[in-house]
């Protein structure tokens, strides 16, 4: 797809197909990146968020969909958060979309502020294309963001959700959660 194209996911069925299509798709086409495919990674990320934040389904769903931009625009590491956010915003709402976009921003923040935070080799390699570690001014600004804590939580789950062979819930078990978030979004946007 071209850089200027915007892809929109309109229904839960479309989203489920997009997520399922992440099976055997890798963040790096030559498989030199993360050790699990996109679907496995997304499910691990969502499961970690479900365990840590059981009452925040929007955050859990953001974890599940945070890397769909890799599928929609392969090779655009710098823009995958923005592309994913644009694709799911109408279906899953502004907060989920914002968290999807902020997972890259949160990586830059943690790279600048937390020397103990470990990035996978693939994430470390793409950090430069994504703007590198934040400057002091960017750090101060990001800390005031109302979604700061949730974005950091998503990033921690993103970095931890790359375990080969980890057993997590199958994708179909996430459908009711996605449907609830989508229904909430529909009810907010319908006067």
């Amino acid at each position: 797809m071209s850089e200027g194209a915007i892809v929109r996911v309109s229904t839960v069925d479309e989203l489920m197909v997009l997520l399922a299509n992440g099976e055997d798709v890798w963040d790096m086409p030559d498989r030199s990146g993360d050790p699990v495919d996109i679907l496995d990674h997304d499910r691990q990320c969502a499961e970690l968020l479900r365990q840590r934040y059981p009452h925040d389904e929007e955050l859990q769903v953001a974890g599940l969909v945070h890397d769909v931009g890799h599928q929609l625009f392969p090779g655009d590491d710098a823009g995958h958060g923005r592309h994913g956010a644009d694709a799911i915003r109408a279906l899953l709402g502004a907060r989920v979309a914002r968290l999807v976009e902020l997972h890259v921003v949160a990586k830059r923040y943690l790279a600048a502020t937390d020397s103990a935070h470990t990035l996978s080799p693939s994430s470390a390699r793409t950090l430069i294309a994504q703007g590198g570690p934040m400057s002091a001014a960017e750090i101060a600004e990001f800390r005031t963001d109302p979604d700061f804590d949730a974005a950091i939580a998503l990033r921690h789950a993103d970095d931890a959700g790359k375990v080969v062979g980890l057993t997590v819930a199958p994708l179909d078990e996430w459908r009711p959660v996605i449907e609830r978030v989508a229904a909430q979004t529909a009810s907010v946007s319908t006067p």
Side-chain angles (χ1 to χ4, degrees), residues 15-43:
L15 180 59
M16 294 300 288
V17 168
L18 178 62
L19 290 168
N21 287 342
E23 184 173 19
D24 206 30
V25 174
W26 303 80
D27 63 330
M28 300 295 290
D30 64 359
R31 295 188 181 195
S32 64
D34 291 332
V36 295
D37 67 31
I38 291 176
L39 175 60
D40 196 23
H41 168 61
D42 288 347
R43 290 182 307 126

PDB file of all heavy atoms in Angstrom, residues 15-43:
ATOM      1  N   LEU A  15     -11.764  -7.211  11.443  1.00  0.00           N
ATOM      2  CA  LEU A  15     -10.638  -7.168  12.367  1.00  0.00           C
ATOM      3  C   LEU A  15     -10.179  -8.572  12.726  1.00  0.00           C
ATOM      4  O   LEU A  15      -8.971  -8.832  12.775  1.00  0.00           O
ATOM      5  CB  LEU A  15     -11.013  -6.388  13.634  1.00  0.00           C
ATOM      6  CG  LEU A  15      -9.907  -6.268  14.677  1.00  0.00           C
ATOM      7  CD1 LEU A  15      -8.675  -5.572  14.099  1.00  0.00           C
ATOM      8  CD2 LEU A  15     -10.421  -5.518  15.899  1.00  0.00           C
ATOM      9  N   MET A  16     -11.110  -9.477  12.955  1.00  0.00           N
ATOM     10  CA  MET A  16     -10.736 -10.852  13.298  1.00  0.00           C
ATOM     11  C   MET A  16      -9.952 -11.503  12.154  1.00  0.00           C
ATOM     12  O   MET A  16      -8.976 -12.215  12.394  1.00  0.00           O
ATOM     13  CB  MET A  16     -11.974 -11.680  13.644  1.00  0.00           C
ATOM     14  CG  MET A  16     -12.701 -11.233  14.913  1.00  0.00           C
ATOM     15  SD  MET A  16     -11.700 -11.302  16.413  1.00  0.00           S
ATOM     16  CE  MET A  16     -11.597 -13.073  16.664  1.00  0.00           C
ATOM     17  N   VAL A  17     -10.356 -11.231  10.915  1.00  0.00           N
ATOM     18  CA  VAL A  17      -9.625 -11.770   9.762  1.00  0.00           C
ATOM     19  C   VAL A  17      -8.222 -11.164   9.700  1.00  0.00           C
ATOM     20  O   VAL A  17      -7.234 -11.875   9.501  1.00  0.00           O
ATOM     21  CB  VAL A  17     -10.402 -11.526   8.446  1.00  0.00           C
ATOM     22  CG1 VAL A  17      -9.541 -11.818   7.226  1.00  0.00           C
ATOM     23  CG2 VAL A  17     -11.676 -12.368   8.421  1.00  0.00           C
ATOM     24  N   LEU A  18      -8.131  -9.855   9.889  1.00  0.00           N
ATOM     25  CA  LEU A  18      -6.828  -9.194   9.861  1.00  0.00           C
ATOM     26  C   LEU A  18      -5.910  -9.769  10.940  1.00  0.00           C
ATOM     27  O   LEU A  18      -4.745 -10.094  10.674  1.00  0.00           O
ATOM     28  CB  LEU A  18      -6.990  -7.681  10.048  1.00  0.00           C
ATOM     29  CG  LEU A  18      -5.702  -6.857  10.093  1.00  0.00           C
ATOM     30  CD1 LEU A  18      -4.921  -6.966   8.795  1.00  0.00           C
ATOM     31  CD2 LEU A  18      -6.034  -5.396  10.406  1.00  0.00           C
ATOM     32  N   LEU A  19      -6.435  -9.922  12.144  1.00  0.00           N
ATOM     33  CA  LEU A  19      -5.627 -10.485  13.225  1.00  0.00           C
ATOM     34  C   LEU A  19      -5.208 -11.916  12.908  1.00  0.00           C
ATOM     35  O   LEU A  19      -4.040 -12.285  13.078  1.00  0.00           O
ATOM     36  CB  LEU A  19      -6.380 -10.419  14.548  1.00  0.00           C
ATOM     37  CG  LEU A  19      -6.575  -9.019  15.129  1.00  0.00           C
ATOM     38  CD1 LEU A  19      -7.579  -9.053  16.283  1.00  0.00           C
ATOM     39  CD2 LEU A  19      -5.253  -8.425  15.571  1.00  0.00           C
ATOM     40  N   ALA A  20      -6.156 -12.730  12.439  1.00  0.00           N
ATOM     41  CA  ALA A  20      -5.851 -14.132  12.105  1.00  0.00           C
ATOM     42  C   ALA A  20      -4.793 -14.214  11.011  1.00  0.00           C
ATOM     43  O   ALA A  20      -3.953 -15.124  11.017  1.00  0.00           O
ATOM     44  CB  ALA A  20      -7.117 -14.869  11.684  1.00  0.00           C
ATOM     45  N   ASN A  21      -4.814 -13.263  10.103  1.00  0.00           N
ATOM     46  CA  ASN A  21      -3.827 -13.246   9.017  1.00  0.00           C
ATOM     47  C   ASN A  21      -2.420 -12.922   9.511  1.00  0.00           C
ATOM     48  O   ASN A  21      -1.463 -13.019   8.743  1.00  0.00           O
ATOM     49  CB  ASN A  21      -4.240 -12.271   7.922  1.00  0.00           C
ATOM     50  CG  ASN A  21      -5.394 -12.792   7.090  1.00  0.00           C
ATOM     51  OD1 ASN A  21      -5.689 -13.990   7.097  1.00  0.00           O
ATOM     52  ND2 ASN A  21      -6.071 -11.894   6.400  1.00  0.00           N
ATOM     53  N   GLY A  22      -2.280 -12.575  10.792  1.00  0.00           N
ATOM     54  CA  GLY A  22      -0.969 -12.339  11.373  1.00  0.00           C
ATOM     55  C   GLY A  22      -0.231 -13.626  11.712  1.00  0.00           C
ATOM     56  O   GLY A  22       0.951 -13.589  12.061  1.00  0.00           O
ATOM     57  N   GLU A  23      -0.930 -14.756  11.571  1.00  0.00           N
ATOM     58  CA  GLU A  23      -0.263 -16.037  11.805  1.00  0.00           C
ATOM     59  C   GLU A  23       0.761 -16.274  10.703  1.00  0.00           C
ATOM     60  O   GLU A  23       0.471 -16.106   9.520  1.00  0.00           O
ATOM     61  CB  GLU A  23      -1.281 -17.176  11.826  1.00  0.00           C
ATOM     62  CG  GLU A  23      -0.677 -18.518  12.160  1.00  0.00           C
ATOM     63  CD  GLU A  23      -1.711 -19.613  12.351  1.00  0.00           C
ATOM     64  OE1 GLU A  23      -2.856 -19.449  11.887  1.00  0.00           O
ATOM     65  OE2 GLU A  23      -1.356 -20.623  12.959  1.00  0.00           O
ATOM     66  N   ASP A  24       1.941 -16.635  11.108  1.00  0.00           N
ATOM     67  CA  ASP A  24       3.055 -16.887  10.202  1.00  0.00           C
ATOM     68  C   ASP A  24       3.454 -15.641   9.392  1.00  0.00           C
ATOM     69  O   ASP A  24       4.010 -15.745   8.310  1.00  0.00           O
ATOM     70  CB  ASP A  24       2.778 -18.079   9.277  1.00  0.00           C
ATOM     71  CG  ASP A  24       4.068 -18.747   8.817  1.00  0.00           C
ATOM     72  OD1 ASP A  24       5.059 -18.709   9.578  1.00  0.00           O
ATOM     73  OD2 ASP A  24       4.098 -19.270   7.693  1.00  0.00           O
ATOM     74  N   VAL A  25       3.153 -14.454   9.946  1.00  0.00           N
ATOM     75  CA  VAL A  25       3.623 -13.184   9.394  1.00  0.00           C
ATOM     76  C   VAL A  25       4.545 -12.595  10.457  1.00  0.00           C
ATOM     77  O   VAL A  25       4.198 -12.578  11.639  1.00  0.00           O
ATOM     78  CB  VAL A  25       2.461 -12.223   9.082  1.00  0.00           C
ATOM     79  CG1 VAL A  25       2.984 -10.859   8.658  1.00  0.00           C
ATOM     80  CG2 VAL A  25       1.548 -12.808   8.019  1.00  0.00           C
ATOM     81  N   TRP A  26       5.679 -12.104  10.029  1.00  0.00           N
ATOM     82  CA  TRP A  26       6.711 -11.679  10.970  1.00  0.00           C
ATOM     83  C   TRP A  26       6.958 -10.185  10.845  1.00  0.00           C
ATOM     84  O   TRP A  26       6.730  -9.593   9.783  1.00  0.00           O
ATOM     85  CB  TRP A  26       7.983 -12.477  10.708  1.00  0.00           C
ATOM     86  CG  TRP A  26       7.691 -13.947  10.807  1.00  0.00           C
ATOM     87  CD1 TRP A  26       7.120 -14.739   9.851  1.00  0.00           C
ATOM     88  CD2 TRP A  26       7.851 -14.787  11.939  1.00  0.00           C
ATOM     89  NE1 TRP A  26       6.934 -16.013  10.325  1.00  0.00           N
ATOM     90  CE2 TRP A  26       7.384 -16.082  11.608  1.00  0.00           C
ATOM     91  CE3 TRP A  26       8.373 -14.577  13.215  1.00  0.00           C
ATOM     92  CZ2 TRP A  26       7.402 -17.140  12.498  1.00  0.00           C
ATOM     93  CZ3 TRP A  26       8.400 -15.642  14.100  1.00  0.00           C
ATOM     94  CH2 TRP A  26       7.922 -16.899  13.740  1.00  0.00           C
ATOM     95  N   ASP A  27       7.421  -9.578  11.924  1.00  0.00           N
ATOM     96  CA  ASP A  27       7.685  -8.142  11.889  1.00  0.00           C
ATOM     97  C   ASP A  27       8.777  -7.797  10.881  1.00  0.00           C
ATOM     98  O   ASP A  27       8.803  -6.713  10.334  1.00  0.00           O
ATOM     99  CB  ASP A  27       8.026  -7.606  13.287  1.00  0.00           C
ATOM    100  CG  ASP A  27       9.296  -8.191  13.876  1.00  0.00           C
ATOM    101  OD1 ASP A  27       9.626  -9.354  13.561  1.00  0.00           O
ATOM    102  OD2 ASP A  27       9.953  -7.490  14.671  1.00  0.00           O
ATOM    103  N   MET A  28       9.671  -8.752  10.623  1.00  0.00           N
ATOM    104  CA  MET A  28      10.693  -8.595   9.592  1.00  0.00           C
ATOM    105  C   MET A  28      10.476  -9.714   8.579  1.00  0.00           C
ATOM    106  O   MET A  28      10.456 -10.892   8.961  1.00  0.00           O
ATOM    107  CB  MET A  28      12.097  -8.706  10.191  1.00  0.00           C
ATOM    108  CG  MET A  28      12.403  -7.648  11.255  1.00  0.00           C
ATOM    109  SD  MET A  28      12.434  -5.978  10.625  1.00  0.00           S
ATOM    110  CE  MET A  28      13.913  -6.026   9.650  1.00  0.00           C
ATOM    111  N   PRO A  29      10.282  -9.401   7.309  1.00  0.00           N
ATOM    112  CA  PRO A  29       9.982 -10.427   6.308  1.00  0.00           C
ATOM    113  C   PRO A  29      10.978 -11.582   6.267  1.00  0.00           C
ATOM    114  O   PRO A  29      10.615 -12.713   5.960  1.00  0.00           O
ATOM    115  CB  PRO A  29       9.968  -9.660   4.989  1.00  0.00           C
ATOM    116  CG  PRO A  29       9.696  -8.244   5.369  1.00  0.00           C
ATOM    117  CD  PRO A  29      10.297  -8.058   6.731  1.00  0.00           C
ATOM    118  N   ASP A  30      12.242 -11.309   6.619  1.00  0.00           N
ATOM    119  CA  ASP A  30      13.247 -12.378   6.591  1.00  0.00           C
ATOM    120  C   ASP A  30      13.329 -13.138   7.918  1.00  0.00           C
ATOM    121  O   ASP A  30      14.213 -13.956   8.116  1.00  0.00           O
ATOM    122  CB  ASP A  30      14.615 -11.812   6.222  1.00  0.00           C
ATOM    123  CG  ASP A  30      15.153 -10.835   7.261  1.00  0.00           C
ATOM    124  OD1 ASP A  30      14.479 -10.562   8.281  1.00  0.00           O
ATOM    125  OD2 ASP A  30      16.272 -10.325   7.054  1.00  0.00           O
ATOM    126  N   ARG A  31      12.404 -12.840   8.830  1.00  0.00           N
ATOM    127  CA  ARG A  31      12.311 -13.478  10.156  1.00  0.00           C
ATOM    128  C   ARG A  31      13.519 -13.200  11.042  1.00  0.00           C
ATOM    129  O   ARG A  31      13.800 -13.938  11.973  1.00  0.00           O
ATOM    130  CB  ARG A  31      12.081 -14.982  10.039  1.00  0.00           C
ATOM    131  CG  ARG A  31      10.751 -15.318   9.421  1.00  0.00           C
ATOM    132  CD  ARG A  31      10.471 -16.782   9.505  1.00  0.00           C
ATOM    133  NE  ARG A  31       9.181 -17.057   8.883  1.00  0.00           N
ATOM    134  CZ  ARG A  31       8.528 -18.170   9.032  1.00  0.00           C
ATOM    135  NH1 ARG A  31       9.006 -19.135   9.769  1.00  0.00           N
ATOM    136  NH2 ARG A  31       7.370 -18.340   8.439  1.00  0.00           N
ATOM    137  N   SER A  32      14.211 -12.121  10.772  1.00  0.00           N
ATOM    138  CA  SER A  32      15.371 -11.768  11.592  1.00  0.00           C
ATOM    139  C   SER A  32      14.958 -10.954  12.815  1.00  0.00           C
ATOM    140  O   SER A  32      15.801 -10.629  13.645  1.00  0.00           O
ATOM    141  CB  SER A  32      16.375 -10.967  10.763  1.00  0.00           C
ATOM    142  OG  SER A  32      15.800  -9.724  10.369  1.00  0.00           O
ATOM    143  N   GLY A  33      13.681 -10.643  12.933  1.00  0.00           N
ATOM    144  CA  GLY A  33      13.205  -9.814  14.036  1.00  0.00           C
ATOM    145  C   GLY A  33      12.753 -10.631  15.227  1.00  0.00           C
ATOM    146  O   GLY A  33      13.467 -11.512  15.706  1.00  0.00           O
ATOM    147  N   ASP A  34      11.551 -10.351  15.697  1.00  0.00           N
ATOM    148  CA  ASP A  34      11.032 -11.016  16.885  1.00  0.00           C
ATOM    149  C   ASP A  34      10.886 -12.516  16.659  1.00  0.00           C
ATOM    150  O   ASP A  34      10.623 -12.957  15.537  1.00  0.00           O
ATOM    151  CB  ASP A  34       9.688 -10.399  17.277  1.00  0.00           C
ATOM    152  CG  ASP A  34       9.849  -8.967  17.784  1.00  0.00           C
ATOM    153  OD1 ASP A  34      10.923  -8.649  18.322  1.00  0.00           O
ATOM    154  OD2 ASP A  34       8.892  -8.192  17.656  1.00  0.00           O
ATOM    155  N   PRO A  35      11.018 -13.309  17.731  1.00  0.00           N
ATOM    156  CA  PRO A  35      11.027 -14.767  17.586  1.00  0.00           C
ATOM    157  C   PRO A  35       9.647 -15.414  17.452  1.00  0.00           C
ATOM    158  O   PRO A  35       9.553 -16.629  17.341  1.00  0.00           O
ATOM    159  CB  PRO A  35      11.712 -15.226  18.881  1.00  0.00           C
ATOM    160  CG  PRO A  35      11.346 -14.177  19.875  1.00  0.00           C
ATOM    161  CD  PRO A  35      11.324 -12.886  19.090  1.00  0.00           C
ATOM    162  N   VAL A  36       8.586 -14.609  17.486  1.00  0.00           N
ATOM    163  CA  VAL A  36       7.225 -15.138  17.322  1.00  0.00           C
ATOM    164  C   VAL A  36       6.518 -14.362  16.222  1.00  0.00           C
ATOM    165  O   VAL A  36       6.872 -13.213  15.938  1.00  0.00           O
ATOM    166  CB  VAL A  36       6.408 -15.054  18.642  1.00  0.00           C
ATOM    167  CG1 VAL A  36       7.006 -15.955  19.716  1.00  0.00           C
ATOM    168  CG2 VAL A  36       6.316 -13.626  19.147  1.00  0.00           C
ATOM    169  N   ASP A  37       5.518 -14.981  15.598  1.00  0.00           N
ATOM    170  CA  ASP A  37       4.793 -14.271  14.546  1.00  0.00           C
ATOM    171  C   ASP A  37       3.904 -13.187  15.156  1.00  0.00           C
ATOM    172  O   ASP A  37       3.712 -13.115  16.372  1.00  0.00           O
ATOM    173  CB  ASP A  37       4.027 -15.239  13.641  1.00  0.00           C
ATOM    174  CG  ASP A  37       2.876 -15.968  14.296  1.00  0.00           C
ATOM    175  OD1 ASP A  37       2.226 -15.429  15.217  1.00  0.00           O
ATOM    176  OD2 ASP A  37       2.591 -17.099  13.866  1.00  0.00           O
ATOM    177  N   ILE A  38       3.358 -12.336  14.309  1.00  0.00           N
ATOM    178  CA  ILE A  38       2.586 -11.184  14.782  1.00  0.00           C
ATOM    179  C   ILE A  38       1.362 -11.620  15.579  1.00  0.00           C
ATOM    180  O   ILE A  38       1.066 -11.041  16.632  1.00  0.00           O
ATOM    181  CB  ILE A  38       2.216 -10.262  13.603  1.00  0.00           C
ATOM    182  CG1 ILE A  38       3.478  -9.581  13.073  1.00  0.00           C
ATOM    183  CG2 ILE A  38       1.180  -9.228  14.021  1.00  0.00           C
ATOM    184  CD1 ILE A  38       3.268  -8.725  11.839  1.00  0.00           C
ATOM    185  N   LEU A  39       0.642 -12.640  15.124  1.00  0.00           N
ATOM    186  CA  LEU A  39      -0.540 -13.089  15.861  1.00  0.00           C
ATOM    187  C   LEU A  39      -0.159 -13.580  17.252  1.00  0.00           C
ATOM    188  O   LEU A  39      -0.793 -13.214  18.246  1.00  0.00           O
ATOM    189  CB  LEU A  39      -1.273 -14.192  15.095  1.00  0.00           C
ATOM    190  CG  LEU A  39      -2.461 -14.816  15.835  1.00  0.00           C
ATOM    191  CD1 LEU A  39      -3.527 -13.776  16.172  1.00  0.00           C
ATOM    192  CD2 LEU A  39      -3.059 -15.954  15.014  1.00  0.00           C
ATOM    193  N   ASP A  40       0.863 -14.399  17.364  1.00  0.00           N
ATOM    194  CA  ASP A  40       1.278 -14.911  18.667  1.00  0.00           C
ATOM    195  C   ASP A  40       1.720 -13.760  19.568  1.00  0.00           C
ATOM    196  O   ASP A  40       1.356 -13.689  20.745  1.00  0.00           O
ATOM    197  CB  ASP A  40       2.403 -15.934  18.475  1.00  0.00           C
ATOM    198  CG  ASP A  40       2.642 -16.796  19.706  1.00  0.00           C
ATOM    199  OD1 ASP A  40       1.721 -16.941  20.541  1.00  0.00           O
ATOM    200  OD2 ASP A  40       3.750 -17.341  19.819  1.00  0.00           O
ATOM    201  N   HIS A  41       2.491 -12.844  19.024  1.00  0.00           N
ATOM    202  CA  HIS A  41       2.953 -11.687  19.791  1.00  0.00           C
ATOM    203  C   HIS A  41       1.774 -10.854  20.291  1.00  0.00           C
ATOM    204  O   HIS A  41       1.708 -10.485  21.470  1.00  0.00           O
ATOM    205  CB  HIS A  41       3.888 -10.835  18.930  1.00  0.00           C
ATOM    206  CG  HIS A  41       4.181  -9.503  19.515  1.00  0.00           C
ATOM    207  ND1 HIS A  41       4.815  -9.339  20.737  1.00  0.00           N
ATOM    208  CD2 HIS A  41       3.916  -8.251  19.056  1.00  0.00           C
ATOM    209  CE1 HIS A  41       4.925  -8.043  20.997  1.00  0.00           C
ATOM    210  NE2 HIS A  41       4.393  -7.373  19.993  1.00  0.00           N
ATOM    211  N   ASP A  42       0.826 -10.564  19.414  1.00  0.00           N
ATOM    212  CA  ASP A  42      -0.326  -9.749  19.804  1.00  0.00           C
ATOM    213  C   ASP A  42      -1.151 -10.428  20.896  1.00  0.00           C
ATOM    214  O   ASP A  42      -1.599  -9.780  21.844  1.00  0.00           O
ATOM    215  CB  ASP A  42      -1.208  -9.452  18.585  1.00  0.00           C
ATOM    216  CG  ASP A  42      -0.562  -8.455  17.623  1.00  0.00           C
ATOM    217  OD1 ASP A  42       0.431  -7.806  17.991  1.00  0.00           O
ATOM    218  OD2 ASP A  42      -1.070  -8.337  16.487  1.00  0.00           O
ATOM    219  N   ARG A  43      -1.346 -11.748  20.772  1.00  0.00           N
ATOM    220  CA  ARG A  43      -2.112 -12.474  21.800  1.00  0.00           C
ATOM    221  C   ARG A  43      -1.364 -12.494  23.127  1.00  0.00           C
ATOM    222  O   ARG A  43      -1.974 -12.347  24.192  1.00  0.00           O
ATOM    223  CB  ARG A  43      -2.424 -13.896  21.335  1.00  0.00           C
ATOM    224  CG  ARG A  43      -3.441 -13.941  20.191  1.00  0.00           C
ATOM    225  CD  ARG A  43      -3.809 -15.353  19.752  1.00  0.00           C
ATOM    226  NE  ARG A  43      -2.634 -16.145  19.440  1.00  0.00           N
ATOM    227  CZ  ARG A  43      -2.350 -17.334  19.982  1.00  0.00           C
ATOM    228  NH1 ARG A  43      -3.161 -17.904  20.840  1.00  0.00           N
ATOM    229  NH2 ARG A  43      -1.253 -17.986  19.624  1.00  0.00           N
TER     230      ARG A  43
END
